[in-house]
């Protein structure tokens, strides 16, 4: 299965992606994580992406589509993918469609995580991420060790530079201007677009997403 997680920055895509990937038995492709790793390593990709990312702007489509095509050609994505944060512009939607067609696949669903701006700002201002595994956490202290269960990855909790208030405002504006039109594009192209209420407990949101994918019983079903 190939699914796209769609929604504003801070809508919970990064929190839900590992849960949905586990349920579907496919890996995650998160362009934001690929780019942050490249910035950290100081690769040419990272050097190109950094200035866009720091101010909350989008990295050029050609760069993103290069990452997506390269990833989807790897054997580990042969069974599908959870795409987190990919498809933020119409050219990316078109490019992803072509890349999937080339490997004999199609997009199974677009899950739209629905949440208002006030809740986004509240969430992002309380969010820190692990500087090693990139997992987001709330209700935690900067500098604390990564609280992810299991063996320690040696990471510590930090605020993402693009989670500073000015960058968040830019990212929300970019979402409205460049990313929202992608939904209309998918609807016109007959994609299965499912709205998920993204406010509430993390487990409940996962259940809603799985129900939308037909992978969990409908609410109230016996
Ligand atoms: P994210 O972790 O998905 O919020 O992405 C963090 C930042 O990486 C974004 O604000 C963009 O600067 C960049 N980025 C990640 N994915 C994309 C994409 N599909 N298109 C353009 N820029 C992206």
């Amino acid at each position: 299965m190939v699914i796209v997680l769609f929604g504003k920055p801070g809508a919970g895509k990064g929190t839900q992606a590992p849960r949905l990937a586990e349920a579907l038995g496919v890996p995650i492709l998160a362009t934001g994580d690929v780019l942050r790793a490249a910035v950290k390593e100081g690769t040419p990709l990272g050097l190109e992406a950094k200035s866009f990312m720091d101010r909350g702007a989008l990295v050029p489509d050609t760069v993103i589509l290069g990452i997506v095509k390269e990833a989807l050609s790897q054997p580990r994505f042969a069974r599908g993918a959870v795409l987190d944060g990919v498809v933020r512009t119409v050219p990316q939607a078109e490019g992803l469609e072509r890349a999937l067609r080339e490997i004999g696949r199609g997009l199974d669903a677009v899950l739209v995580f629905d949440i208002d701006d006030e809740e986004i700002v509240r969430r992002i201002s309380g969010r820190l991420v692990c500087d090693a595994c990139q997992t987001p956490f709330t209700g935690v202290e900067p500098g604390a060790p990564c609280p992810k269960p299991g063996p320690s990855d040696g990471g510590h909790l930090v605020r993402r530079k693009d989670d500073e208030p000015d960058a968040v405002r830019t990212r929300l504006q970019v979402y409205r201007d460049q990313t929202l039109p992608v939904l209309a594009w998918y609807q016109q192209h007959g994609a299965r677009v499912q709205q998920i209420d993204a406010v509430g407990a993390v487990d409940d949101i996962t259940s809603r997403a799985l129900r939308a994918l037909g992978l969990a019983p409908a609410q109230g079903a016996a």
Side-chain angles (χ1 to χ4, degrees):
M1 219 181 195
V2 180
I3 63 168
V4 162
L5 307 188
F6 194 93
K8 294 171 187 169
K13 303 183 296 292
T15 301
Q16 295 298 329
R19 295 163 156 253
L20 299 175
E22 194 186 343
L24 294 169
V26 298
I28 302 169
L29 172 55
T31 37
D33 289 349
V34 173
L35 293 168
R36 275 185 290 276
V39 169
K40 203 170 160 187
E41 285 164 26
T43 65
L45 170 66
L47 293 177
E48 185 178 359
K50 188 174 187 315
S51 65
F52 295 98
M53 295 175 77
D54 283 352
R55 63 176 200 272
L58 293 184
V59 171
D61 291 331
T62 47
V63 174
I64 298 297
L65 287 171
I67 295 172
V68 170
K69 280 186 200 157
E70 204 272 321
L72 291 179
S73 68
Q74 294 168 12
R76 71 189 197 96
F77 285 101
R79 296 192 55 220
V82 168
L83 301 175
D84 167 9
V86 188
V87 192
R88 278 164 131 119
T89 65
V90 170
Q92 288 181 25
E94 292 166 341
L96 174 65
E97 184 118 314
R98 275 195 303 276
L100 288 173
R101 209 178 310 128
E102 276 166 23
I103 55 169
R105 307 195 69 102
L107 189 58
D108 293 281
V110 178
L111 297 185
V112 184
F113 289 85
D114 196 21
I115 182 167
D116 65 30
D117 284 9
E118 268 172 42
E119 175 70 10
I120 293 283
V121 172
R122 200 182 61 74
R123 265 189 200 181
I124 288 187
S125 61
R127 163 168 99 173
L128 298 175
V129 299
C130 169
D131 61 5
C133 68
Q134 310 294 333
T135 307
F137 296 95
T138 50
V140 285
E141 292 296 320
C146 176
K148 198 169 159 177
S152 163
D153 59 12
H156 291 87
L157 300 179
V158 294
R159 176 165 318 281
R160 274 170 48 175
K161 200 158 182 182
D162 60 352
D163 278 353
E164 301 291 344
D166 276 355
V168 172
R169 269 189 290 278
T170 305
R171 288 160 72 202
L172 285 170
Q173 191 61 42
V174 165
Y175 177 82
R176 272 188 287 277
D177 293 346
Q178 299 186 58
T179 305
L180 209 47
V182 175
L183 268 193
W185 187 91
Y186 273 127
Q187 268 145 355
Q188 279 158 17
H189 286 74
R192 179 175 164 202
V193 177
Q194 305 271 4
Q195 299 282 338
I196 313 287
D197 175 3
V199 181
V202 173
D203 283 347
D204 291 343
I205 300 168
T206 308
S207 302
R208 287 173 207 152
L210 291 175
R211 275 199 299 277
L213 293 171
L215 295 173
Q219 208 162 25

